[in-house]
Amino acid sequence: MNNTTSSPSNKNLVKEILSWKKKREAVILAHVYQPGEIQDIADFTGDSLFLSQQAAKTKAKVIVFCGVQFMAETASILSPEKIVLLPEIKAGCPLADMAPAEKVKSKIKELPKAVVISYVNSSAVVKSLSDYCCTSANAVQIARSIPTEKEILFFPDMNLADFTAKKSKRKIIPWPGFCPTHYLLTRDDIIKAKELHPQALLLVHPECRPEVCNLADYIGSTRGIIKFASNNPAKEYIIGTEMGIFHPLKKNNPDKDFFPASENMICQNMKLITLEKVLHSLKKLEPQVIVPEDIRKKSLKALNRMIEIS
Ligand code: CIZ
């Protein structure tokens, strides 16, 4: 646990949270981009799909999702019988917001024969308009499952679309969306970081710009980055994704050194959740995230198709 979690007032807060969690028969999920003290109180930490799948498997009645809106929506799509709480309802995703449903609908109308793949970082409505969902961990696998002659419309991240097209050799039409946190990382940042740490391997997320990805030793999802760093004998790594990932990286690999590719890679939405808000959420059972049933059923199809393939 880090210093913040172990301060006396936070120790009391954590105690209260754990007691309310028991009372509510709840499970706490925390994305690896969450602040360290939130990751430390979670039953499960990981990427959005892994978390939702864990939540669907448990007998818990309530899911407290410490993440952003699309993640809580995904949990609700997979577990409609459970109460899904997002402790800060304003925790949105600017990338998901770059693909509003109406614009996505008209793009699909323009290319009715194209197969539609939407990244998990999209709204439930956009998922419901899609043939397949994907994560950064399985986007290449999903694209490879599509016949080569088909065109693929890929929402909403253009950098993940570019990475997926190169790896899968499929014709992918990208949507011009991007994650502002990953977009901040430039080639110059990488060159500086490599000068400071010449022995370090560079691990980046596929939401980074192609010119950044081109310099990487490994490109992968948050889960992929953690696995790569944990299994590789190298002792030093430069990390190109949101800073929250340093928490599990350092915890799992105390003998290794991790350096940020840029100190600016902080998603403000991910940092909106606090211990106080988690406690409030458990006490009041709010704010809840509910996906309307017609949209839920359609988006579940896209998610299930992905799960079958990967
Ligand atoms: O799917 C997720 O949780 C995100 C946002 C990134 C990743 O690579 O895990």
Side-chain angles (χ1 to χ4, degrees):
M1 282 200 186
N2 66 16
N3 292 338
T4 340
T5 314
S6 48
S7 76
S9 63
N10 277 358
K11 267 189 179 164
N12 288 339
L13 256 177
V14 170
K15 237 177 157 179
E16 247 196 291
I17 288 171
L18 297 182
S19 136
W20 274 94
K21 186 181 85 161
K22 207 168 169 194
K23 217 177 282 180
R24 295 295 191 204
E25 295 179 54
V27 64
I28 300 179
L29 311 178
H31 193 270
V32 289
Y33 293 161
Q34 285 288 296
E37 68 264 27
I38 301 290
Q39 295 193 42
D40 283 338
I41 56 155
D43 297 291
F44 298 100
T45 57
D47 63 29
S48 56
L49 186 75
F50 167 77
L51 292 176
S52 296
Q53 286 176 319
Q54 291 309 309
K57 278 189 213 160
T58 73
K59 291 202 165 64
K61 292 189 175 143
V62 175
I63 298 171
V64 184
F65 211 124
C66 302
V68 294
Q69 271 164 22
F70 78 82
M71 298 180 182
E73 281 183 352
T74 308
S76 173
I77 292 165
L78 293 173
S79 298
E81 73 294 349
K82 294 183 175 126
I83 293 176
V84 179
L85 304 170
L86 179 62
E88 172 51 73
I89 203 68
K90 290 199 208 97
C93 172
L95 167 60
D97 293 346
M98 284 180 201
E102 284 316 310
K103 289 196 175 161
V104 169
K105 256 187 218 166
S106 45
K107 189 70 196 174
I108 295 173
K109 260 194 192 154
E110 261 176 47
L111 292 163
K113 289 196 182 141
V115 175
V116 180
I117 302 182
S118 65
Y119 185 27
V120 69
N121 299 37
S122 58
S123 69
V125 184
V126 168
K127 287 187 181 77
S128 77
L129 300 169
S130 309
D131 298 304
Y132 297 86
C133 200
C134 76
T135 68
S136 46
N138 61 27
V140 173
Q141 208 182 347
I142 304 297
R144 279 186 186 146
S145 77
I146 311 296
T148 35
E149 68 279 9
K150 289 263 183 197
E151 281 188 325
I152 298 173
L153 262 174
F154 193 100
F155 298 99
D157 191 287
M158 61 181 184
N159 292 331
L160 180 60
D162 179 79
F163 170 76
T164 307
K166 284 176 185 154
K167 288 271 176 192
S168 68
K169 311 235 171 353
R170 294 298 185 274
K171 184 164 190 274
I172 294 187
I173 301 156
W175 183 257
F178 57 90
C179 162
T181 305
H182 287 89
Y183 199 72
L184 274 177
L185 184 62
T186 63
R187 201 172 174 274
D188 281 355
D189 292 327
I190 301 295
I191 291 166
K192 275 183 209 149
K194 282 189 170 226
E195 272 168 16
L196 284 174
H197 310 289
Q199 303 302 326
L201 295 181
L202 173 66
L203 318 184
V204 306
H205 195 277
E207 287 175 23
C208 292
R209 301 162 188 243
E211 64 267 29
V212 165
C213 291
N214 285 344
L215 299 175
D217 296 292
Y218 174 79
I219 309 166
S221 65
T222 52
R223 187 126 65 118
I225 289 176
I226 293 169
K227 207 168 152 189
F228 185 97
S230 304
N231 294 341
N232 198 287
K235 292 284 182 213
E236 293 185 7
Y237 300 87
I238 300 165
I239 304 295
T241 191
E242 212 277 343
M243 298 282 285
I245 201 171
F246 282 82
H247 193 68
L249 280 174
K250 286 180 178 166
K251 215 169 167 172
N252 297 348
N253 303 282
D255 57 328
K256 297 182 179 176
D257 288 319
F258 298 97
F259 308 102
S262 158
E263 303 259 354
N264 297 329
M265 296 186 78
I266 298 174
C267 170
Q268 297 303 338
N269 282 281
M270 281 284 181
K271 310 305 179 206
L272 288 174
I273 293 180
T274 60
L275 291 172
E276 287 82 358
K277 288 179 189 174
V278 173
L279 179 60
H280 179 271
S281 216
L282 277 164
K283 278 184 175 172
K284 303 281 177 196
L285 285 181
E286 63 179 34
Q288 289 189 25
V289 173
I290 303 168
V291 176
E293 192 54 15
D294 53 334
I295 292 167
R296 192 191 75 78
K297 277 191 183 150
K298 286 185 199 155
S299 33
L300 182 63
K301 269 191 196 161
L303 277 165
N304 278 340
R305 279 198 192 123
M306 168 188 76
I307 291 165
E308 271 165 33
I309 293 170
S310 62

